Amino acid sequence: MVSRIAQCLILGVLLFIPVAHAELPGNFTEREHRILKSLSLAALGPVPPSPSNRVADDDRAVNMGRALFFDKNLSVDGSLSCATCHQPEKAFTDGKPLAEGIDRTGRNTPTLYGAAYLDWLYWDGRRDTLWSQALIPFEAPSEMGSSRVGVVRRVLSDPDYQENYRSLFGTPPEFDWESLPDHAAPIGDTVMQNAWHRLRRGEQRAINTVFANIGKALDAFQRTLAPPETRFDRFVSALNTETTAPIAVLATDQELRGMKLYMDDQRTQCLRCHNGPMFSNGGFHNIGTGKFSGEGMDFGRVFGLQAVLMDEFNCLGIYSDAEPDQCEALGHVSQDPHQALHGAFKTPSLRYLEKSKPYFHDGRFSSLEEVIRFYQTPPDQGRNRIHELQAMDLNTEEIVALVAFLKMLN
Amino acid sequence: MGPLSKKETHVRRSVPTAGKLPQTLRGFGLALMLVFPTVGLADACSNGCKVLSRDGGFQVTARPALERLPLRRHHDWIVVVQDGDGNPVKLNGLSVSGGMQGHGHGLPSQPKVTEYLGEGRYRITGFLFNMHGEWTLRFHLATPDIQDVADLTLTLDY
């Protein structure tokens, strides 16, 4: 038996070692080639269904959502729209460390490219659908500062919106606008909250229904924001044709060195979290950037988890169009807020970094070199500083190469 | 669950079930495992990974319900539980925990047993793996007489 295994071992080595180490154009191994293909936009696939939103793929909802997205009249003072922070020319970010609405917020604005593929929205995953996410900025005092009553009032008083709404969702509830306050919401300042709690339950439900539907139109529009192809995607496409010439045109030697470093588990481990076509695994990871006291305090996912479970607009809530078993992410959310969730944030995409800087949940780094230096010397581990990082050890030339590769994703 | 501590971890290297393969093929498969100790995402446990529970009371054979094990996508597994003699076991309790010891984090989702399929077979929904590397799945098994755990170590690679 032992000799038979030995024979087979030799046979296995002879048969498979040459294949495993075969070099493709660009001197990539088969494994590296598989990784590169998995990172390309060609592997992204169609936008996944949104079962909680029955109008998610309706063109009329897309058009209504587009109008809502750019409508400044939905903010409390008419000065801000969704596009104020999510600017199309900046990959739907704003170029600021922390988003600025009515006031400065506590988080960096993430790109909307690829958002339709995410199970969790916000850096802490406090929302599980794109439409429920879209509702928060309307009411956040530091963002658009309005309220659900204010937003519903504005939308249903506009003839165009009203027509769109009717065609998508049917006749809206009839409200006695004379008796309703200008603004009312269960969050926000005490005036808004008191006004909300004075409404009858039926009125609250009707307002919430229209408010949720406004979010669903915004969801439909944002689902159309397809991530643009980059030079990296064209490079992988050329690689698949197994010709060397286009590869040399599409990537420099320095970029190729950076690419190989990116895929090297021993040297960088980038790929562990920044994987897949959006260069993000969509998960929550603790890299030691949480802040547990003082100014800028941010616990990350541990509170986001509680928020999404309590959200009345989540996939399992009464305003969702999904059957419970269609809410895969929320239905299987890990509810154990163990230590790693304290200070964990969602892995951001590495696409379009030039347009989406600065970086990290609090916009603390303005250059990719700074980000890589952070990974070279991660924070010390301690009682309140438990994280997943192992220090990288790249020399200056390697750092430059890695940055050069990341810039192929712009 | 929290990160698995060394104390509570009892990892047994998973061995794909050989089934009725001819002996030479089994030997060849073993040779391949020695050459390539990691399994490809496409093939991980596709023929079932079999582990013995810590105290030896149960044999657990687990395989993904999909042909290709996906990254970043929820999916189901089928788990077969047998006693030491290979007889199917209908459990009173079955749950799953786990994580990546090397990274100090648990599973990114909470798989749930949703259906007993008969003959000791269970459908577990909601598995999610979001990075390659070594994962541990811990199956918690209970009958009125026995409580035990079985650890399956799974190395995912491209």
Side-chain angles (χ1 to χ4, degrees), chain A residues 110-121:
Chain A
T111 181
L112 297 184
Y113 284 134
Y117 293 82
L118 295 170
D119 285 335
W120 308 109
L121 286 308

Side-chain angles (χ1 to χ4, degrees), chain A residues 35 43 45 83 135 140 165 199 210 212 244 257 303 305 314 342 347:
Chain A
I35 293 171
L135 302 177
Y165 187 97
L199 298 179
V210 179
T244 307
R257 277 200 300 279
F303 286 164
L305 174 61
N314 71 25
H342 287 266
T347 309

Side-chain angles (χ1 to χ4, degrees), chain A residues 232-253:
Chain A
F232 170 74
D233 302 304
R234 291 192 290 277
F235 170 84
V236 176
S237 177
L239 190 66
N240 290 337
T241 63
E242 299 189 15
T243 55
T244 307
I247 293 170
V249 173
L250 288 165
T252 65
D253 287 345

Side-chain angles (χ1 to χ4, degrees), chain B residues 15 21 36 42 44 48 55 61 63 65 81 83 88 93 99 105 108 119-120 130 135 144 146-147 158:
Chain B
V15 179
L21 288 172
F36 302 108
D55 295 332
T61 306
R63 67 171 173 82
V81 182
D83 63 18
H105 61 71
E119 295 296 308
N130 59 9
W135 292 83
I146 306 173
Q147 290 188 20
Y158 289 90

